[in-house]
Amino acid sequence: MDSSSQGSMQISTTPALLQLDQLLPLLSSGPYSSSTLSLLAALCTELKLVGPKLERSDKDKLDTLQALLTKICQDRDLDLVLRLQVLEVIELRTLGWKSNEGVDNYYKERFTQFEESRRKEQERKEAKAVRSRDAGVKKIRENQSGSKSSDQEQMDEKDKIFVTVNGVKLFISSTSQELSASAKKFLENHFSNQSMALPTSKMKYTRTDLLTLASSTMAKEAPLNWDKLAKTLPTVIQRRSCSSPSPTANQVGGGDSSQSQMSKQKNTALPGNLPIIRNLGM
């Protein structure tokens, strides 16, 4: 008789038998609860010790159990380590409950591999959970920071001095609040006095075109509505006299003096934008 058989003779079979009687009805049909699977793992450990003794006293119960254990081994939804424990019990009973060094080493290696795989899988899940948690915290902080930044920008914009021109805000920045207020008032008056804006055009003229226009009789005539148009021109190009504060046809690219110069300097002086404005239908 080997050492395992001698040891089984000295150990009571009562705990294993009670577990066996409790498990047989629970294992007859699935799914299995976690407590049932825990009890099955404990029974596998007990059977390795008292299997030979139960074989003589309760062989029928072991036969019923083995049929159920065979089905459990084929259930891929169950834990792999538990299925390996069940398979070891089945193989040990097949060998007459006699230990075999080759079989023992095989299961030891398998258990070690599975435990290592389980440990790595657990570490991977924990690391993933940590990354997910950190990403969630980071997103919350970014949202809070973005919200604060947006609120701060709105508050800062309210404190800034600006002038609205054609729906666009023109901000004024200065170390002097009084100077900023004066600049705002000046710009508001400036843009409010602009009754109309000059039209834009994609029309382009070459130097030859401009010289040809300069020699035309139309270049010597004032455009239509010139009195109104002259007021919209920038002050830097308006010709002002001491006696007349507002530009006239004679003061802005027109008049007798300009016409006499144009006749004397054909093809050498440009006529300004007079024919261009006329051609645009102004």
Side-chain angles (χ1 to χ4, degrees):
M1 184 178 298
D2 56 20
S3 58
S4 61
S5 298
Q6 293 177 355
S8 64
M9 295 296 183
Q10 301 174 359
I11 300 175
S12 174
T13 60
T14 302
L17 192 58
L18 291 175
Q19 292 175 348
L20 183 58
D21 291 337
Q22 185 179 356
L23 273 174
L24 287 178
L26 296 176
L27 296 177
S28 59
S29 62
Y32 311 112
S33 65
S34 57
S35 59
T36 298
L37 297 177
S38 298
L39 189 60
L40 176 59
L43 177 61
C44 289
T45 303
E46 289 290 334
L47 289 177
K48 291 171 63 177
L49 299 175
V50 299
K53 195 171 183 179
L54 285 177
E55 195 71 46
R56 292 189 293 271
S57 61
D58 297 276
K59 183 178 181 302
D60 293 341
K61 291 183 179 180
L62 290 179
D63 290 340
T64 303
L65 177 64
Q66 183 165 340
L68 296 174
L69 294 182
T70 302
K71 294 181 180 180
I72 291 176
C73 285
Q74 299 171 353
D75 191 344
R76 295 182 177 274
D77 294 333
L78 297 179
D79 181 68
L80 190 58
V81 175
L82 176 61
R83 290 162 56 196
L84 189 63
Q85 287 178 295
V86 171
L87 181 60
E88 184 183 18
V89 170
I90 293 175
E91 188 167 0
L92 186 60
R93 190 185 184 216
T94 304
L95 296 175
W97 301 103
K98 296 179 180 179
S99 60
N100 183 296
E101 184 177 358
V103 175
D104 292 343
N105 291 336
Y106 169 80
Y107 282 102
K108 286 180 181 179
E109 292 176 0
R110 287 292 184 178
F111 280 123
T112 301
Q113 292 176 358
F114 291 146
E115 289 296 336
E116 182 67 16
S117 299
R118 176 184 290 180
R119 183 184 63 81
K120 290 182 179 180
E121 179 65 17
Q122 183 64 24
E123 291 178 352
R124 187 188 66 81
K125 290 181 179 180
E126 292 176 356
K128 183 178 180 180
V130 171
R131 290 195 299 269
S132 178
R133 181 194 61 193
D134 292 344
V137 172
K138 182 179 179 181
K139 186 175 182 180
I140 293 174
R141 290 177 179 175
E142 289 177 350
N143 291 338
Q144 292 177 346
S145 176
S147 177
K148 290 181 180 179
S149 298
S150 178
D151 294 342
Q152 186 64 36
E153 288 177 358
Q154 293 178 0
M155 292 178 62
D156 293 343
E157 184 173 326
K158 291 180 181 178
D159 296 336
K160 291 181 179 179
I161 299 177
F162 62 89
V163 177
T164 303
V165 181
N166 296 330
V168 179
K169 291 182 178 180
L170 177 63
F171 289 93
I172 304 171
S173 177
S174 173
T175 56
S176 172
Q177 188 174 2
E178 183 179 354
L179 183 59
S180 297
S182 299
K184 177 182 179 181
K185 186 176 181 180
F186 175 81
L187 292 173
E188 286 177 341
N189 292 334
H190 173 74
F191 288 111
S192 63
N193 291 332
Q194 289 189 346
S195 58
M196 60 183 297
L198 288 175
T200 59
S201 173
K202 297 182 179 180
M203 189 179 299
K204 295 183 180 181
Y205 293 91
T206 64
R207 183 174 181 276
T208 303
D209 294 335
L210 292 174
L211 292 175
T212 302
L213 290 172
S215 61
S216 172
T217 56
M218 294 181 63
K220 302 175 184 179
E221 299 178 6
L224 297 176
N225 302 320
W226 177 244
D227 290 339
K228 294 181 179 180
L229 291 174
K231 295 178 181 180
T232 65
L233 297 176
T235 56
V236 294
I237 66 171
Q238 294 181 9
R239 299 176 184 175
R240 294 181 179 272
S241 64
C242 297
S243 61
S244 177
S246 61
T248 63
N250 293 334
Q251 294 172 342
V252 187
D256 296 337
S257 60
S258 297
Q259 293 176 3
S260 60
Q261 291 177 3
M262 291 294 296
S263 61
K264 293 179 181 179
Q265 299 179 1
K266 291 183 178 180
N267 299 333
T268 59
L270 299 181
N273 60 351
L274 304 184
I276 300 177
I277 296 177
R278 182 181 290 276
N279 290 339
L280 292 175
M282 300 299 294

